Amino acid sequence: MRLIEKIILLLLGVSLLPLMIVGSLLYFGVRTTTEHQITQQLNAVVTIQKNRLDDIRAQNLTRLTDFASSQGRRTLLETYNQTKSKDVQARITTILNDAKKQGSGIRSITIMDTTGHVVASTEKESVVSSQVANDLFRLGIDQNSTRLATSADNQETIFYISGPLELGAKKIGVIGIEMSADELNKVLADRTGLGKTGEIILAQRLENGSLTYATPLRFDSHAANHVISSDDRPLQEALAGKEGVFSDVKDYHGKDTFAVTKYIKDGDWGLEAKIDRNEALVPLTGLRSQFLLLAFINSVLVVFASIAIARFVTQPILDIDEVAEQTSRGTLKKRVANKSNDEIGNLAGTFNSMLDNLEELDKAKSDFVSLASHQLRTPLTAIKWMSEELLLPEASLGEDRKEHYIHQIHATNERLIRLVNELLETSRIGFGTLTSKPEDVHVDEVLKLVLRDIAPEIVNSGVKVRTDIGKNLSATYIDRTWLQVILQNIVSNALKYSKYGQAISIAIDGTKDEIMIEVKDSGVGIPLAQQKKIFTKLFRADNARQQVGDGSGLGLYITKALVEQAGGKIWFKSVQNKGSTFYVKLPVVTKPTPKKEPQ
């Protein structure tokens, strides 16, 4: 392939790749934002409609209570229960007819005795002879209840309410009212903010346990009382009491939709607001077209520009090729001379940056190999030598020497376990797979355990440990093991880099909002020029390496990651040869208590 063709392809690729990445990120970012806005809007709509339905149901139940509270009606019903008098029955019917005339939206009123027998009704056919009477009795014998159904011709939604009639502490019957559902239908027909495909769907659970649509649907006017398909997951979950947000589900006529559901517990109703995805995401179609057009224009310009400047960029390309060839042979020090500010210059700069990153990776690899060879091989060699000594004939090794070797093997093994754990934690942090089991933890209690665990380390270091623990410290909601690792790392570092006879101080104080931990030493300190790298993986300051050979350079990297994962903050102040003070601030976050369902 000719060099000019390579230049065209290279520049085309270099220009398109960032455009594709940025465009993709922009597209998916806008898409995510749009989906979030849609579900927020649906949630607002369904919340408003739920409140309106609650008001309608409450108003009707209030009307039922007013009817049931009439002393005269209850007295007449009790008289009828005792005498079965036709005259009393006629008086009750007259009273019901008068009450029906006075109440707007009432289609019928029915009173039943405690066996479910109809005593009186404003309608002779629609209630007395239908299954509705039995349903009203079962629902209303113990408490005020509501139910939606459709008329016999399936043309009208009817609102049924029923409740017990009591005289003193005695149940004497049930009152049932058949109401017009016009107000409820107006709420469901209000599709403000739902576009051309959105709708509000109300569903209910029947006495037999089946789940049905309570009213006609926008795209299926005969759906009322039809059983809900198991594929309609939003309404299935809503009627199971699980409110939720759904970003990609099929609706009853097979369309992909956004949906938000609410559960109306007192009525055992499920409410869903939904809109088709195609309609909701229309703005993204224009954005995608603009991006493709921009990519095409960019490609054309790059091709023509590449042809025009090919003769001027041959030598820089050859320079890059030369450096690339040397890099392939393992030489990472040489860089491309970057003298221009055009695309080739940018390419050279990018190539040099890549070489810098490769050199850093190579150095990190070398550091890790050095760490593995020193921190793993040295203690393993020591364990091998001491175990071989222990295997010698008993006469050649005294009991004191054996005990010394055993203690040394144990201590060395603990150091190896700690190093392996650090490497594992570092790997989990890098892959984002850290797991935690947070709980309410008192920092001072964990500190006591840490100081107990590292007591031999404290004794061997000859460093005094002073503690200053505040009173009435609040608990923080954090993984106990994480907190133990955090404290152990910063306290062990203070011990490790302090000299014999010096002291470290550990102070813990707090407010109602946060816990402050301060660990101060008078050790070697950290050189100012290296303080920015102190939390970097595998990094150890030069003076720390000279004073203490052991060390993985992982402790503070892990500590910072755990602190930030717990929502806290870590920082330090240090002066070389005068010591360091590390600060850890943790939020006081208590375990959230589950919300109680309203009774």
Side-chain angles (χ1 to χ4, degrees):
M1 183 181 293
R2 296 169 56 196
L3 184 57
I4 188 171
E5 295 171 347
K6 293 181 180 178
I7 292 174
I8 293 173
L9 292 177
L10 179 61
L11 291 179
L12 191 61
V14 169
S15 63
L16 280 181
L17 182 59
L19 183 64
M20 293 294 291
I21 293 175
V22 172
S24 298
L25 291 176
L26 176 63
Y27 175 79
F28 287 109
V30 172
R31 177 171 177 166
T32 300
T33 301
T34 302
E35 290 182 352
H36 180 66
Q37 291 174 344
I38 291 167
T39 54
Q40 279 189 322
Q41 181 177 348
L42 289 175
N43 187 62
V45 170
V46 78
T47 299
I48 291 172
Q49 303 299 55
K50 176 181 180 294
N51 293 336
R52 293 172 67 183
L53 292 179
D54 283 337
D55 290 341
I56 293 172
R57 185 176 179 278
Q59 291 171 6
N60 285 320
L61 288 177
T62 299
R63 181 176 291 184
L64 177 70
T65 302
D66 292 342
F67 274 97
S69 63
S70 171
Q71 182 69 26
R73 296 169 192 161
R74 290 181 291 169
T75 302
L76 282 174
L77 178 59
E78 177 62 11
T79 301
Y80 174 80
N81 288 340
Q82 296 174 357
T83 64
K84 305 299 181 182
S85 168
K86 296 291 186 180
D87 291 338
V88 173
Q89 187 178 27
R91 289 176 61 190
I92 296 174
T93 302
T94 300
I95 291 173
L96 295 184
N97 284 320
D98 291 341
K100 176 185 175 182
K101 295 176 182 178
Q102 296 174 6
S104 62
I106 299 177
R107 300 188 64 217
S108 70
I109 306 174
T110 303
I111 289 181
M112 292 169 278
D113 60 19
T114 55
T115 65
H117 175 72
V118 175
V119 175
S121 175
T122 61
E123 301 291 334
K124 294 182 179 180
E125 297 298 332
S126 65
V127 172
V128 174
S129 61
S130 72
Q131 178 63 30
V132 174
N134 293 330
D135 292 342
L136 288 175
F137 176 77
R138 288 197 305 272
L139 291 169
I141 188 64
D142 294 318
Q143 62 183 0
N144 291 346
S145 301
T146 59
R147 176 187 164 185
L148 292 169
T150 54
S151 58
D153 56 6
N154 205 34
Q155 297 297 315
E156 181 184 3
T157 302
I158 302 171
F159 202 139
Y160 295 105
I161 52 177
S162 60
L165 291 171
E166 298 177 345
L167 190 61
K170 178 182 177 183
K171 289 184 180 178
I172 60 174
V174 174
I175 183 170
I177 303 177
E178 180 181 322
M179 302 287 300
S180 168
D182 289 345
E183 290 185 38
L184 182 141
N185 287 329
K186 289 179 181 178
V187 171
L188 299 178
D190 182 3
R191 303 185 182 103
T192 304
L194 297 179
K196 299 179 180 179
T197 60
E199 61 182 309
I200 300 292
I201 300 176
L202 182 66
Q204 67 180 348
R205 185 190 307 278
L206 300 183
E207 285 293 289
N208 61 11
S210 63
L211 311 180
T212 64
Y213 297 110
T215 57
L217 303 178
R218 184 172 189 175
F219 301 104
D220 186 355
S221 59
H222 301 291
N225 281 344
H226 287 190
V227 175
I228 295 172
S229 167
S230 59
D231 294 334
D232 196 337
R233 187 160 59 92
L235 282 177
Q236 292 281 345
E237 294 195 9
L239 288 169
K242 301 176 182 177
E243 299 182 344
V245 175
F246 305 85
S247 61
D248 191 4
V249 291
K250 299 284 187 183
D251 68 357
Y252 60 87
H253 60 301
K255 300 293 185 180
D256 293 324
T257 63
F258 292 98
V260 176
T261 59
K262 296 290 183 182
Y263 177 59
I264 303 176
K265 180 180 179 182
D266 292 337
D268 203 9
W269 289 346
L271 189 65
E272 176 186 5
K274 73 176 188 66
I275 187 172
D276 285 5
R277 286 180 62 89
N278 289 339
E279 179 184 5
L281 298 179
V282 162
L284 294 178
T285 303
L287 179 63
R288 186 166 55 243
S289 299
Q290 292 175 4
F291 172 73
L292 293 175
L293 178 61
L294 179 62
F296 174 75
I297 294 174
N298 178 80
S299 300
V300 173
L301 292 177
V302 168
V303 169
F304 282 104
S306 300
I307 295 173
I309 65 173
R311 67 184 62 187
F312 300 104
V313 298
T314 303
Q315 189 57 48
I317 292 293
L318 293 176
D319 291 342
I320 292 174
D321 182 66
E322 181 183 353
V323 174
E325 185 177 353
Q326 293 187 23
T327 302
S328 68
R329 294 199 295 265
T331 302
L332 299 176
K333 295 296 183 182
K334 190 168 183 180
R335 298 293 183 266
V336 178
N338 188 4
K339 298 179 181 180
S340 61
N341 294 321
D342 56 16
E343 288 83 355
I344 297 300
N346 292 336
L347 178 60
T350 302
F351 190 77
N352 286 340
S353 297
M354 180 188 69
L355 291 177
D356 292 339
N357 292 334
L358 286 174
E359 191 171 7
E360 293 240 354
L361 288 173
D362 188 66
K363 184 177 181 300
K365 180 191 70 174
S366 299
D367 289 344
F368 182 80
V369 172
S370 175
L371 169 69
S373 63
H374 179 70
Q375 299 293 334
L376 293 175
R377 185 174 183 177
T378 300
L380 288 173
T381 301
I383 291 174
K384 178 177 181 296
W385 178 79
M386 287 183 286
S387 60
E388 287 175 349
E389 289 291 311
L390 290 172
L391 291 173
L392 292 174
E394 186 173 353
S396 63
L397 197 62
E399 290 297 325
D400 292 343
R401 198 64 177 166
K402 283 184 178 180
E403 184 175 354
H404 171 73
Y405 283 164
I406 291 172
H407 283 297
Q408 288 296 315
I409 290 174
H410 176 74
T412 304
N413 185 65
E414 289 296 314
R415 195 174 82 190
L416 283 171
I417 291 173
R418 186 161 57 249
L419 176 61
V420 171
N421 287 337
E422 287 180 346
L423 292 173
L424 289 173
E425 289 299 319
T426 301
S427 175
R428 293 189 185 105
I429 293 169
F431 284 106
T433 57
L434 275 176
T435 58
S436 67
K437 296 180 180 179
E439 58 182 298
D440 288 335
V441 180
H442 287 277
V443 179
D444 51 332
E445 294 178 359
V446 176
L447 177 62
K448 292 178 183 178
L449 295 176
V450 170
L451 292 177
R452 185 194 65 187
D453 291 343
I454 66 173
E457 186 178 339
I458 295 173
V459 172
N460 292 334
S461 68
V463 175
K464 298 178 182 179
V465 178
R466 302 189 182 98
T467 59
D468 181 11
I469 309 300
K471 296 182 179 180
N472 301 321
L473 292 175
S474 300
T476 181
Y477 192 58
I478 189 175
D479 188 296
R480 182 180 294 271
T481 302
W482 284 16
L483 182 56
Q484 189 168 350
V485 171
I486 292 168
L487 290 172
Q488 184 166 336
N489 281 345
I490 58 178
V491 173
S492 294
N493 275 359
L495 290 172
K496 185 185 299 184
Y497 299 116
S498 295
K499 295 180 180 180
Y500 191 90
Q502 290 182 334
I504 68 171
S505 62
I506 306 171
I508 301 177
D509 203 356
T511 65
K512 65 178 182 179
D513 298 319
E514 62 188 24
I515 299 293
M516 175 66 78
I517 305 169
E518 177 183 319
V519 179
K520 182 177 183 180
D521 65 64
S522 303
V524 298
I526 304 168
L528 181 61
Q530 298 182 339
Q531 290 185 7
K532 291 183 179 180
K533 297 183 178 180
I534 201 64
F535 292 112
T536 304
K537 180 167 52 177
L538 297 175
F539 177 79
R540 297 185 69 207
D542 294 337
N543 57 344
R545 292 175 183 269
Q546 293 171 2
Q547 175 164 328
V548 181
D550 293 338
S552 64
L554 298 174
L556 288 178
Y557 168 77
I558 294 171
T559 300
K560 183 174 185 294
L562 295 181
V563 170
E564 292 178 349
Q565 285 277 347
K569 181 181 179 183
I570 182 172
W571 71 98
F572 68 92
K573 296 179 182 178
S574 183
V575 179
Q576 189 171 2
N577 299 323
K578 291 187 178 180
S580 304
T581 303
F582 278 80
Y583 303 90
V584 175
K585 183 189 293 183
L586 295 173
V588 173
V589 183
T590 57
K591 182 179 181 181
T593 56
K595 294 182 180 179
K596 293 184 178 180
E597 291 285 347
Q599 299 297 321

